[in-house]
Amino acid sequence: MANRYNYAAADVERLFGESAKGAAMVDGADHRGAFARDRARVLHSAAFRRLADKTQVVGPRDGDTPRTRLTHSLEVAQIARAIGEGVGADGDLCELAGLVHDIGHPPYGHNGENELNILAQDCGGFEGNAQTLRILTFLEPKILTPDGESEGLNLTRASLDASCKYPWGRLDQTGSPRRKYGAYDTDLPILHWVRQGHENTTPCLEAQCMDWADDVAYCVHDVEDGILAGRITLKVLWDFVELAALADRGAAAFGGDPADLLEAADRLRQLDTVARAADFDGSLAGLATLKKLTSELVGRYVGAAVAATVERAGHTPLGRMHGRLVRPPQAQAEVVLLKTIAVLYVMSSPSHTHRQDRQRERLARVYDYLALGTPGTLDPVFAAWWTQADTDADRCRVIIDQIASLTETRLERLARQATDIASFYG
């Protein structure tokens, strides 16, 4: 393990100063560090709990053991902690980054994100990562100023930085909009505070640990779910015609060279656990074999990144703006290949795309319903923010914030309510 990085005073600074808790039975009994306290704040937040009813790949109510945004985030957090501690960064900080990495996702995941981006054109668009910063620093009720203004969870600077996969704004240096970004235009002052003293746009080390953990969890677990659902078979790795097409499409979608993906397939074929999982039959032995596959692949990619990072760093301490996480090319190619398999056989199926069409229609219907009835159609907190808003853009943002916060169950209930009202007056 690399030498542990000593975080500085600026790393544990919060936007709003807090007094000590007043209800403790014993003074000084809380021995947690700042990052452990931040991690607890995330775990206890309503925004985090709502991820239980938000789509990862399949819906929260599909199957007996679906992966939701919540379970995915817990898995990413565990992997991120293993990576972070392996390279000598703070484990609580890396785990927190994994817990919050999807907390800004709206109902229906990336499909909902795309639809809300269209609906939010009058207020600067919607982006799940930018929404994460907004939730952590404003929307989630935890800390208020003496004037009653929300400071969100009031996390430390390092915690906010760790949660920011894309530490830049919506517009690039030429004024052109970016597809991915970490802060809306109105929230740029907060992002500037987070990145104070670090003018580059490279994500901090803990965010890099989270990003690799997300890729690993995404590809391995989605392939596992696809096998369980009968949509994926790893026998495709032995179908060289199909494999060539997969390599071309994977390189086009995620970057890289098709030849590298074919070499990745060759390495995976040589793993005993992959060969055994290719014969999955749904039996008890098959289920155990599949679970062993996911465990060994996660360990394979975590270990590769940790070893390569520590080797490059030598005796230099790693953490936040010190050092970079190394993604070994062979591990990266295997992850891309597995992601490609998951995307093509699960998320691109006709039934999945048809469902996504219905989801987008539902989001648009709820937006119209809320907008036409404001402020009465909004929850009390959002209604107050809507009333206080000075511009149409600000009022639009409040409606978008309300929709993004909804669970899928509640969104569907509102959509039915909107349809019933339209039919009554129709």
Side-chain angles (χ1 to χ4, degrees):
M1 179 184 291
N3 296 328
R4 182 158 299 281
Y5 172 63
N6 295 317
Y7 293 86
D11 296 325
V12 298
E13 186 179 356
R14 303 181 189 274
L15 270 167
F16 180 72
E18 300 177 24
S19 58
K21 293 182 178 180
M25 288 187 174
V26 180
D27 290 339
D30 189 350
H31 299 292
R32 295 175 300 168
F35 304 147
R37 291 178 63 196
D38 284 353
R39 173 186 169 276
R41 290 184 181 192
V42 170
L43 276 173
H44 290 286
S45 67
F48 184 69
R49 293 195 301 275
R50 290 190 190 105
L51 295 178
D53 194 6
K54 293 190 179 184
T55 294
Q56 171 60 16
V57 175
V58 299
R61 298 177 293 282
D62 291 349
D64 295 328
T65 56
R67 276 192 166 91
T68 65
R69 285 283 164 186
L70 180 65
T71 60
H72 168 68
S73 296
L74 290 170
E75 289 165 337
V76 171
Q78 182 271 323
I79 296 170
R81 186 180 193 103
I83 297 170
E85 290 183 341
V87 301
D90 186 272
D92 286 324
L93 196 54
C94 294
E95 183 177 346
L96 176 147
L99 292 173
V100 303
H101 85 283
D102 272 352
I103 207 169
H105 265 283
Y108 307 133
H110 290 294
N111 189 42
E113 184 179 21
N114 293 335
E115 180 63 22
L116 281 187
N117 185 47
I118 295 171
L119 296 170
Q121 288 306 300
D122 290 341
C123 60
F126 181 88
E127 211 284 335
N129 296 281
Q131 194 71 12
T132 292
L133 182 65
R134 189 165 174 80
I135 288 170
L136 297 179
T137 60
F138 176 64
L139 293 174
E140 181 65 26
K142 168 69 176 177
I143 302 296
L144 300 179
T145 69
D147 296 331
E149 298 296 324
S150 176
E151 293 289 340
L153 294 179
N154 198 36
L155 302 181
T156 60
R157 176 182 276 112
S159 291
L160 290 174
D161 204 8
S163 70
C164 196
K165 189 187 295 189
Y166 307 106
W168 50 77
R170 183 177 62 90
L171 302 178
D172 64 19
Q173 294 179 338
T174 68
S176 300
R178 295 182 170 106
R179 190 175 68 87
K180 291 289 185 181
Y181 52 94
Y184 299 120
D185 296 347
T186 53
D187 296 331
L188 282 175
I190 296 174
L191 182 60
H192 293 156
W193 178 86
V194 170
R195 303 290 290 182
Q196 187 178 73
H198 303 284
E199 299 304 323
N200 68 73
T201 55
T202 302
C204 67
L205 179 69
E206 296 81 5
Q208 294 175 54
C209 293
M210 168 263 285
D211 195 19
W212 181 236
D214 187 23
D215 277 356
V216 170
Y218 177 90
C219 76
V220 173
H221 295 143
D222 285 0
V223 167
E224 177 191 356
D225 288 347
I227 293 172
L228 284 169
R231 299 179 182 179
I232 290 175
T233 173
L234 289 180
K235 289 181 179 178
V236 69
L237 295 173
W238 282 264
D239 184 338
F240 297 106
V241 175
E242 181 74 5
L243 197 56
L246 277 174
D248 288 337
R249 296 182 69 173
F254 302 112
D257 189 326
D260 293 336
L261 300 190
L262 291 174
E263 291 178 7
D266 183 57
R267 289 192 298 275
L268 289 171
R269 284 195 301 272
Q270 296 175 40
L271 297 178
D272 180 66
T273 186
V274 172
R276 289 178 179 272
D279 293 324
F280 178 76
D281 59 3
S283 66
L284 178 63
L287 291 168
T289 296
L290 186 58
K291 187 54 64 177
K292 183 178 181 181
L293 170 74
T294 62
S295 176
E296 290 200 5
L297 288 182
V298 169
R300 177 179 176 88
Y301 303 134
V302 169
V306 168
T309 301
V310 171
E311 181 181 7
R312 176 177 292 183
H315 297 291
T316 304
L318 297 170
R320 200 157 180 235
M321 297 300 171
H322 298 268
R324 294 289 175 264
L325 188 76
V326 179
R327 296 188 178 199
Q330 290 188 341
Q332 176 70 25
E334 291 180 20
V335 166
V336 167
L337 179 64
L338 292 171
K339 284 173 67 173
T340 304
I341 292 173
V343 168
L344 291 185
Y345 293 112
V346 177
M347 285 171 271
S348 297
S349 67
S351 61
H352 189 72
T353 54
H354 180 61
R355 169 184 281 190
Q356 288 185 319
D357 291 339
R358 297 198 307 272
Q359 291 171 347
R360 290 192 294 271
E361 292 170 1
R362 202 172 288 139
L363 283 162
R365 192 184 319 147
V366 170
Y367 180 88
D368 289 341
Y369 167 71
L370 294 179
L372 290 170
T374 52
T377 47
L378 299 171
D379 289 350
V381 171
F382 292 98
W385 283 329
W386 188 91
T387 302
Q388 295 165 9
D390 295 325
T391 67
D392 288 343
D394 290 341
R395 286 184 280 272
C396 173
R397 178 60 66 190
V398 172
I399 297 171
I400 294 296
D401 285 338
Q402 165 86 77
I403 296 174
S405 75
L406 298 173
T407 62
E408 292 176 14
T409 298
R410 186 161 179 227
L411 179 91
E412 289 160 13
R413 189 164 63 243
L414 283 173
R416 288 193 297 270
Q417 184 175 335
T419 299
D420 291 343
I421 292 174
S423 299
F424 180 81
Y425 288 104

